């Protein structure tokens, strides 16, 4: 039997995130081996190690070996959280934009305590919303959760649907409060 972990929306300590299925948590002295994972034997697991995403590992003999020492970790099965909007209705000079050819040029996402989310016109064409700079230490814990509006250029073609996809595929929080697209509609 598996139970959901309690989730507190006020929790922002990246070392306490538990966004994995069938997960176990570790907290203790520095280690490079996490054991007790017999229920995940042979599975590829995701790991949040000291608040940063660690490379996936395969559970063997009930344990995984890490690439670096950790004092806090969450190990479990990853899942993708995907949001797909309905067809965009942005209006047009001649009434509705439904069924008309349109192109989304940019999207503003209103986020709350989010990191690692991707956005795009399809699941095969996604851009990561930047939350770190190129000089950031990627093995350091997530120290800045994005709050507020984030503008993203949207790499889409002209089409009659105008869907927006948002995906979180890491064991990190994603709260999308609003989506504001900018689009061009062809009335011709």
């Amino acid at each position: 039997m598996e139970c959901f972990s309690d989730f507190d929306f006020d929790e922002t300590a990246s070392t306490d995130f538990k966004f994995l299925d069938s997960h176990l948590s570790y907290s203790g002295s520095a280690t490079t081996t996490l054991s007790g994972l017999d229920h995940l034997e042979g599975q590829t697991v995701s790991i949040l190690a000291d608040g940063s995403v660690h490379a996936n590992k395969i559970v063997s003999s009930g344990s995984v070996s890490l690439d670096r020492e950790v004092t806090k970790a969450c190990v479990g099965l990853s899942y993708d959280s995907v949001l797909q909007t309905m067809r965009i209705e942005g209006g047009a000079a001649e009434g509705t934009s439904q069924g008309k050819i349109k192109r989304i040029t940019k999207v503003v996402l209103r986020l709350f305590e989010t990191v690692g989310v991707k956005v795009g016109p399809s699941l095969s064409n996604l851009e990561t919303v930047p939350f770190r700079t190129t000089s950031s230490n990627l093995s350091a814990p997530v120290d800045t959760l994005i709050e507020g509006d984030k503008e993203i250029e949207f790499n889409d073609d002209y089409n009659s649907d105008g869907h927006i996809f948002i995906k979180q595929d890491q064991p990190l929080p994603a709260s999308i409060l609003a989506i504001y697209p900018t689009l061009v509609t062809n009335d011709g």
Side-chain angles (χ1 to χ4, degrees):
M1 177 181 280
E2 187 172 341
C3 301
F4 286 108
S5 290
D6 289 335
F7 179 72
D8 183 356
F9 282 95
D10 293 333
E11 180 59 62
T12 58
S14 60
T15 55
D16 294 331
F17 295 150
K18 294 178 175 59
F19 297 108
L20 294 166
D21 279 341
S22 301
H23 74 270
L24 288 179
S25 297
Y26 172 81
S27 182
S29 60
T31 184
T32 58
T33 303
L34 299 174
S35 58
L37 303 170
D38 298 314
H39 67 293
L40 297 170
E41 185 66 32
Q43 298 288 319
T44 300
V45 293
S46 290
I47 304 162
L48 193 66
D50 286 332
S52 65
V53 178
H54 187 283
N56 290 348
K57 297 290 182 177
I58 297 175
V59 177
S60 177
S61 301
S63 65
V64 292
S65 294
L66 303 177
D67 301 337
R68 61 185 184 272
E69 287 188 335
V70 299
T71 56
K72 284 187 110 173
C74 183
V75 181
L77 301 174
S78 67
Y79 55 88
D80 292 347
S81 299
V82 177
L83 179 149
Q84 176 186 353
T85 63
M86 303 290 282
R87 291 185 180 112
I88 295 295
E89 171 52 60
E94 298 177 7
T96 181
S97 66
Q98 294 294 308
K100 295 181 180 172
I101 302 299
K102 61 185 121 327
R103 179 175 178 263
I104 301 171
T105 58
K106 70 179 174 181
V107 172
V108 174
L109 298 179
R110 181 159 294 159
L111 305 172
F112 177 72
E113 296 180 355
T114 297
V115 68
V117 72
K118 300 173 183 175
V119 63
S122 70
L123 289 176
S124 60
N125 185 6
L126 296 170
E127 294 288 329
T128 301
V129 176
F131 67 98
R132 293 186 184 201
T133 65
T134 55
S135 63
S136 297
N137 178 0
L138 297 180
S139 19
V142 173
D143 56 0
T144 305
L145 298 176
I146 301 171
E147 292 186 11
D149 294 348
K150 195 75 170 171
E151 183 177 305
I152 299 99
E153 294 297 320
F154 206 75
N155 186 20
D156 194 14
D157 291 326
Y158 286 91
N159 61 66
S160 59
D161 289 332
H163 292 293
I164 298 171
F165 288 83
I166 301 173
K167 180 178 179 180
Q168 175 58 289
D169 57 5
Q170 299 180 70
L172 298 168
S175 296
I176 315 302
L177 302 180
I179 304 168
Y180 304 109
T182 300
L183 66 138
V184 177
T185 304
N186 183 353
D187 278 318

